[in-house]
Amino acid sequence: MMHNEVQPASMPQQVYQCRRLAQVLQMTREMLAKAEAGDWESVTEMELERRDDLARCFAEPIPLGDSELIAEALATLLHLNEELMSRLKTARTAVLEKSVQATNNRQAINSYESVGATLKSAS
């Protein structure tokens, strides 16, 4: 993958923008796959790189002739991003539920130990 590539002097700006946007789309697909696998650390690292790439994509005005192609690519990017955010929300909810369950388990163990200690001292 060619993340953070430098635009060759011989490459027209619009070709460079389209290539970079295609790379951002591919990176977003990879992030979605990693999210599905639960590899959130990689997703976080890739997001930082993706932001830089997106900023470079739109650092220059988009030629009018490419506006429809760019609009379609952005619609796809937004859709993939919504899927990624949905996975994040699901993962966050699962982590919160596990945390609540762990807290409840600790409280139950503490209560049980407290009752056991009371029964031993009463004997």
Side-chain angles (χ1 to χ4, degrees):
M1 190 151 286
M2 300 184 295
H3 304 302
N4 295 323
E5 71 177 293
V6 175
Q7 178 181 352
S10 62
M11 185 182 292
Q13 181 64 28
Q14 74 184 87
V15 172
Y16 177 72
Q17 283 177 307
C18 289
R19 281 185 62 187
R20 183 161 298 281
L21 189 54
Q23 289 172 334
V24 169
L25 283 169
Q26 182 57 37
M27 186 184 299
T28 305
R29 287 184 182 100
E30 290 174 25
M31 290 169 65
L32 188 54
K34 291 187 181 298
E36 289 172 356
D39 186 1
W40 291 103
E41 186 173 330
S42 292
V43 172
T44 301
E45 290 169 4
M46 292 177 78
E47 173 61 20
L48 297 174
E49 187 174 348
R50 185 176 76 146
R51 285 181 193 175
D52 290 344
D53 284 351
L54 272 172
R56 279 194 285 282
C57 279
F58 299 106
E60 298 290 326
I62 297 167
L64 287 177
D66 292 338
S67 60
E68 188 174 328
L69 175 67
I70 299 296
E72 288 179 26
L74 288 176
T76 301
L77 182 62
L78 288 173
H79 174 74
L80 292 171
N81 212 53
E82 286 174 8
E83 286 186 44
L84 189 58
M85 299 290 39
S86 175
R87 300 282 193 292
L88 175 60
K89 184 178 177 182
T90 300
R92 184 177 17 213
T93 299
V95 167
L96 287 174
E97 287 173 359
K98 285 181 183 180
S99 177
V100 167
Q101 184 61 43
T103 299
N104 290 343
N105 289 346
R106 276 194 302 274
Q107 289 174 346
I109 289 169
N110 290 340
S111 294
Y112 180 77
E113 289 174 345
S114 175
V115 168
T118 303
L119 291 176
K120 283 185 182 178
S121 65
S123 310

